[in-house]
Structure formats: structure tokens, C-alpha cells
Amino acid sequence: MAENQSAAKIKKGLIVTGMRPTGKLHLGHYIGVLKNMVKLQDEYECFFFVADWHALTTKFDSTQDLVDNTNDIVLDWLAAGIDPEKCSIYIQSHLPQTAELHVYLSMITPQNWVERDPTLKDLVKMIKTPDGDSKPNVSYGFLGYPVLMSADILTFNVDYVPVGIDQVAHIEITRDIARRFNNIYKTELFKEAKPLLTNIPMLKGVDGQKMGKSFHNDIKISDDDETTTKTIMKSITDRSRARKDDPGHPDKCEVAFEYWKAFAPEEKIKQIQQECIAGKRGCADCKRELAALINEYLRPIRERRKYYEQHPELVKEIIRQGDEKARTKAEEVLKQVRKTVGMYQG
Ligand code: TRP
């Protein structure tokens, strides 16, 4: 406990980040984001949440998997090493303060700010109407996507938001909204949260395209060893190499060598590289060894996931406590917001 308290004191600031519940997480999520979240929880006071309201912006009419998907994200986080003793894991829809702040922020956000949001434009292209029409039926709530995201961030008035490069435009809007709020209400209440970008690029799918479950090119954190091995064996290597004792080109190996770099220690990566260049490492053997390494790497993570799967009450309790810590922190900010805006004080 004493150790915990002194550790808390030296934390470098406040962080929040969220993920939409779209299904089980894969190695792209793990390498691109999750591994970094595990590291950040030691250095910052962190709030990690499942963005279930954001899921509704596009999937309001198909909520049958929402509960399972929400649970899966939390299980994958805990499995990967997100530690509820070090951070708060909460569900977005359990934090009414965010919904309230969203109302205040939506009043001061000019309409054209949300309409020109480039990330939103990309999302619009992806969503379809319930009858499969490709012209999307954009709702009022969907247009508010970046405003709701600003509310997530400003609910805690955080310093940093760890995100992938695709989310940076949303953080820009958050800063604009924070600045506008401060100007309108003549206050310095809101900080301008900065994106924390990882320099680790997202891992590609085994076919060399963006990793995603709909492309059938992903390896889930929760997959078993056999499925993982089968998928890795399909991964693309050096397309110009015909025979296994031809000299290989690790730098032209599109997927397998990238995975080696993501999971193997430095020494091992060098060894692989040298053997490949010398024509002493056939691609099939190399991938079999890679699959074994990845399964080994994921073993403790998968065991932890199983443990939490078998203890649903414990997971619920972790979320209850995370919700509670998030509410306490958020309420401190909201008190100031209500006062600053000029609302009736009870
Ligand atoms: N939009 C993010 C995504 O699609 C999820 C998200 C919602 C988020 N609110 C956030 C991320 C606030 C960071 C901070 O991945």
C-alpha cells in the first residue's frame, strides 16, 4: 500500500483511452495499442473504457452482440496485463457525467466543425443503411461522434490520449472544443489534451492487408494454438523466393519477418535475418518456428484470459470498481463545468 501511494505520486499525468466494442481483439490491436496501454499504466493515472455509446452511433439497430463484445474487450485487456490495481477499467455508458458533458459541449460546437471531421467522413463511407443501401443514413448521434469523444476526454480533463494515427483528427477537435469552451466561459478549466502516438505501426494481417476479422487475416489474442499456427502458415513471405535454399530477403518478407520483429528478442531477429539471407532457412520452417514463438508469447496471456472467463463475477467487480473510480474523478470535473457554464446550483 505504502509502495502504491508513492508510485501514484510520481505518475506523469492523466490518460484516457477507449475502444469500440466490435469483437475480440487481435494481434494488430495488441501490438499497436494494447501493449502500450499496459506500459502506460505504470507511468500515468489511466482510465481505460469500452466505448459502447460510440458503437451505437453506427450499430444502433444491431445490439444483440453488444454485451458480449463489451465483455470480450475487458477480458482481452485483463489478459494482456491491464491491471485493475494500477488503472480504472470502466464502461462508457456507466458514466452519466460523460453524457452530461456531451450536452454542454454539443451546445458550443459549431455544426460545421463536426461536418468537416475527416475521420467521420471515412466512417460514413463504411456504414450502410439497415437495408444494405450504400448511402448511409447518418443520424444526429453519429454526427456527434467527435463531440462525444471530446466529452470522454474532457470528463477527466486529461493530459494525454494514446491513440492510433487514425484518431488524431478527433483529438484535434477535442482541443478546439476545449479552447472554445474556455473562451466562451472565460475560464482556463480545460487542458488541451495531446495525442500520444505510438511509433509501433499496426501489425498487418497474414495476407499483407490491414488486419481485421472481416478480412479473415487476423490472429485473435483468444485463438488457440492450432488456429494460430494454421493462420501463421498462410502468412506471406518473400514473394520472389522460389526454393527454400535460395538466398532470402528479410526486408522483402511482407508479413512473417514483421511478426518476428514484433515478438522475438533482438538477438533472435538478427539470427533469423542472417540464416534467411544465407539460404539456410526455408519459409515453411521459418513460419512453423514463428507460430511456436507467438504461441509461447501468448501462453500466459491466454491463460489469464481463461481464468477471467471462468470468473465472471470477478470481472464484474473489476468493472464496478473502475466505474466508481471514474465517476468520482469525473464528478470533480463536472462540478466545475456546471458552475462555469452557469447552471442552477442545488
Ligand atoms: N473512436 C475511438 C475508436 O474508434 C474510440 C474512442 C471513443 C476513443 N472515445 C474515445 C479513443 C476517447 C480515445 C479517447 O477507436
Side-chain angles (χ1 to χ4, degrees):
M1 186 68 202
E3 204 175 290
N4 266 350
Q5 276 172 350
S6 60
K9 273 194 205 126
I10 54 162
K11 291 208 168 170
K12 290 191 260 178
L14 224 62
I15 275 185
V16 69
T17 194
M19 281 188 203
R20 271 177 303 156
T22 53
K24 295 190 168 103
L25 301 182
H26 53 57
L27 294 189
H29 298 118
Y30 178 76
I31 293 296
V33 188
L34 189 45
K35 204 174 157 202
N36 194 36
M37 285 162 63
V38 173
K39 188 171 143 253
L40 289 169
Q41 66 182 348
D42 288 320
E43 300 163 26
Y44 296 87
E45 183 178 354
C46 294
F47 292 92
F48 298 138
F49 70 99
V50 183
D52 53 352
W53 278 331
H54 276 104
L56 289 186
T57 63
T58 55
K59 300 250 180 147
F60 55 88
D61 56 348
S62 54
T63 52
Q64 64 285 348
D65 297 327
L66 192 54
V67 169
D68 284 346
N69 288 346
T70 300
N71 202 41
D72 274 327
I73 295 231
V74 176
L75 287 173
D76 283 328
W77 283 356
L78 292 168
I82 298 292
D83 181 350
E85 298 283 320
K86 295 181 183 165
C87 64
S88 306
I89 299 174
Y90 73 96
I91 312 294
Q92 183 186 35
S93 64
H94 294 186
L95 198 62
Q97 286 84 357
T98 299
E100 186 185 347
L101 184 55
H102 177 249
V103 173
Y104 295 126
L105 299 182
S106 70
M107 301 303 165
I108 64 151
T109 305
Q111 187 179 334
N112 64 347
W113 285 15
V114 294
E115 282 169 352
R116 68 174 187 225
D117 179 337
T119 314
L120 218 63
K121 284 187 182 158
D122 288 346
L123 259 178
V124 169
K125 282 187 212 141
M126 279 163 55
I127 55 175
K128 295 195 170 28
T129 54
D131 47 19
D133 193 339
S134 61
K135 190 167 174 291
N137 207 345
V138 173
S139 72
Y140 164 64
F142 179 79
L143 264 184
Y145 193 110
V147 186
L148 182 55
M149 204 163 143
S150 303
D152 293 324
I153 295 166
L154 297 174
T155 298
F156 305 108
N157 206 6
V158 299
D159 304 282
Y160 298 104
V161 189
V163 281
I165 190 87
D166 60 318
Q167 299 292 316
V168 170
H170 284 145
I171 315 293
E172 288 300 323
I173 291 198
T174 304
R175 294 152 62 90
D176 290 343
I177 293 177
R179 214 175 297 135
R180 188 169 163 86
F181 182 98
N182 289 348
N183 278 333
I184 289 174
Y185 298 110
K186 303 193 174 35
T187 173
E188 290 179 2
L189 178 58
F190 285 132
K191 295 182 203 166
E192 291 184 25
K194 293 175 203 56
L196 255 192
L197 285 172
T198 51
N199 42 17
I200 324 147
M202 284 281 213
L203 213 59
K204 289 182 207 158
V206 289
D207 58 358
Q209 307 301 309
K210 184 176 164 34
M211 192 183 279
K213 68 169 172 194
S214 43
F215 311 125
H216 306 289
N217 64 0
D218 64 330
I219 297 158
K220 305 266 189 328
I221 289 176
S222 51
D223 278 346
D224 59 28
D225 285 15
E226 205 188 323
T227 311
T228 304
T229 305
K230 267 196 199 137
T231 314
I232 296 275
M233 292 310 286
K234 286 192 284 192
S235 65
I236 294 181
T237 53
D238 172 2
R239 292 182 204 256
S240 65
R241 197 174 183 202
R243 279 171 301 269
K244 69 173 189 173
D245 41 10
D246 286 348
H249 310 88
D251 52 326
K252 288 193 199 146
C253 180
E254 283 180 43
V255 176
F257 191 55
E258 295 301 309
Y259 286 18
W260 275 112
K261 284 195 280 188
F263 290 97
E266 208 56 47
E267 303 265 288
K268 185 72 187 173
I269 301 168
K270 278 207 193 101
Q271 183 202 330
I272 304 289
Q273 204 167 14
Q274 284 161 2
E275 289 177 5
C276 177
I277 292 169
K280 288 184 185 147
R281 168 172 280 272
C283 290
D285 288 340
C286 184
K287 289 196 276 188
R288 212 165 286 122
E289 202 189 323
L290 172 65
L293 171 90
I294 291 180
N295 281 328
E296 201 52 49
Y297 185 101
L298 292 175
R299 181 150 303 132
I301 295 179
R302 287 169 171 166
E303 277 169 12
R304 231 173 356 242
R305 198 182 198 283
K306 288 240 163 58
Y307 175 81
Y308 285 111
E309 277 167 23
Q310 288 157 2
H311 295 84
E313 278 310 315
L314 174 60
V315 177
K316 279 193 184 150
E317 185 53 32
I318 288 170
I319 294 172
R320 264 195 294 270
Q321 289 184 15
D323 285 347
E324 198 50 48
K325 281 193 274 178
R327 279 193 209 113
T328 306
K329 187 82 199 170
E331 189 52 27
E332 282 173 25
V333 177
L334 261 291
K335 274 207 181 85
Q336 291 173 281
V337 171
R338 291 176 203 119
K339 194 155 173 255
T340 306
V341 174
M343 307 311 289
Y344 182 92
Q345 303 288 300

